[in-house]
């Protein structure tokens, strides 16, 4: 079992464990892994309000890798309770995800052609079943109205 609190050697006070965001490092796989290892909350990267407002919200199912945690009991005949197999290499499971995909409305023909080869430009992916109420969406803004619109768009 992974502890959710970290003891402070000086006073015995308990602290919560959070994943602090880093530029281009607070991606969905890292957030899921951090939660799996006991983080109480995870943060998205800071996303500019106008960027998220220019995205389309797309809900779909995708296969998500669920890594195993060192020290977990391995039983080849038992599942892990979430529909995946309890194996030492991790498991995969279908999850409902919410993707915020950059809209193609303002793109040039060149950008659209490039998108066909590189795939959809996903700005943010959230897995509500795993992240749920433990994810903090960071908004970069200079306008409170745009910030509230962005927060409404991302609300689960």
């Amino acid at each position: 079992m992974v502890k959710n609190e970290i003891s402070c050697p000086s006073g015995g006070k308990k602290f919560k464990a959070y994943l602090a965001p880093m530029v281009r490092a607070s991606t969905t796989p890292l957030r899921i892994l951090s939660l799996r290892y006991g983080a109480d909350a995870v943060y998205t990267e800071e996303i500019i309000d106008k960027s998220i407002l220019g995205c389309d919200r797309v809900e779909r199912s995708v296969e998500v890798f669920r890594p195993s945690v060192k020290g977990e009991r391995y039983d080849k005949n038992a599942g892990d309770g979430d529909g995946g197999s309890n194996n030492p290499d991790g498991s995969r499971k279908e999850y409902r995800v919410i993707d915020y995909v950059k809209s193609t409305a303002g793109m040039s023909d060149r950008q659209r052609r490039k998108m066909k080869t590189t795939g959809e430009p996903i700005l943010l992916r959230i897995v509500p079943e795993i992240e749920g109420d433990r994810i903090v969406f960071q908004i970069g803004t200079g306008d409170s109205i745009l910030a509230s619109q962005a927060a409404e768009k991302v609300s689960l």
Side-chain angles (χ1 to χ4, degrees), residues 27-67:
T27 58
T28 307
L30 179 62
R31 293 192 315 262
I32 291 171
L33 185 64
S34 298
L35 290 168
R36 183 83 174 112
Y37 273 92
D40 293 297
V42 292
Y43 288 73
T44 66
E45 295 179 53
E46 180 183 27
I47 297 176
I48 306 301
D49 52 11
K50 292 179 184 177
S51 295
I52 202 77
L53 290 172
C55 288
D56 298 321
R57 180 180 167 136
V58 180
E59 295 190 28
R60 56 181 125 198
S61 291
V62 298
E63 189 176 66
V64 175
F65 178 71
R66 181 180 180 266

Side-chain angles (χ1 to χ4, degrees), residues 10 12 19 38-39 71 73 76 113 122 127:
S10 60
L19 168 69
R73 195 178 115 255
K76 65 180 179 182
R113 282 192 306 271
I122 298 173
V127 186

Side-chain angles (χ1 to χ4, degrees), residues 104-116:
T104 58
M107 287 185 181
S108 67
D109 289 337
R110 181 178 177 210
Q111 288 172 318
R112 285 192 185 116
R113 282 192 306 271
K114 183 179 178 185
M115 190 179 78
K116 286 181 183 177

Side-chain angles (χ1 to χ4, degrees), residues 1-152:
M1 185 170 143
V2 178
K3 289 185 177 181
N4 284 347
E5 292 184 346
I6 301 166
S7 296
C8 178
S10 60
K13 185 177 178 181
K14 303 281 185 178
F15 295 96
K16 296 286 184 174
Y18 295 93
L19 168 69
M22 298 185 314
V23 176
R24 296 185 183 161
S26 190
T27 58
T28 307
L30 179 62
R31 293 192 315 262
I32 291 171
L33 185 64
S34 298
L35 290 168
R36 183 83 174 112
Y37 273 92
D40 293 297
V42 292
Y43 288 73
T44 66
E45 295 179 53
E46 180 183 27
I47 297 176
I48 306 301
D49 52 11
K50 292 179 184 177
S51 295
I52 202 77
L53 290 172
C55 288
D56 298 321
R57 180 180 167 136
V58 180
E59 295 190 28
R60 56 181 125 198
S61 291
V62 298
E63 189 176 66
V64 175
F65 178 71
R66 181 180 180 266
S68 62
V69 174
K70 184 178 179 181
E72 274 189 330
R73 195 178 115 255
Y74 169 60
D75 180 356
K76 65 180 179 182
N77 297 319
D80 60 6
D82 68 356
S85 63
N86 182 16
N87 66 56
D89 299 325
S91 60
R92 296 183 178 279
K93 181 183 173 190
E94 285 282 319
Y95 285 97
R96 180 181 70 89
V97 299
I98 302 170
D99 287 336
Y100 294 90
V101 181
K102 291 182 184 178
S103 177
T104 58
M107 287 185 181
S108 67
D109 289 337
R110 181 178 177 210
Q111 288 172 318
R112 285 192 185 116
R113 282 192 306 271
K114 183 179 178 185
M115 190 179 78
K116 286 181 183 177
T117 60
T118 59
E120 285 183 315
I122 298 173
L123 184 66
L124 176 65
R125 171 171 281 173
I126 297 174
V127 186
E129 190 176 336
I130 297 173
E131 297 173 300
D133 60 351
R134 300 185 300 167
I135 186 169
V136 177
F137 173 60
Q138 291 191 96
I139 305 170
T141 189
D143 183 345
S144 59
I145 294 170
L146 289 176
S148 3
Q149 290 171 348
E152 283 179 30

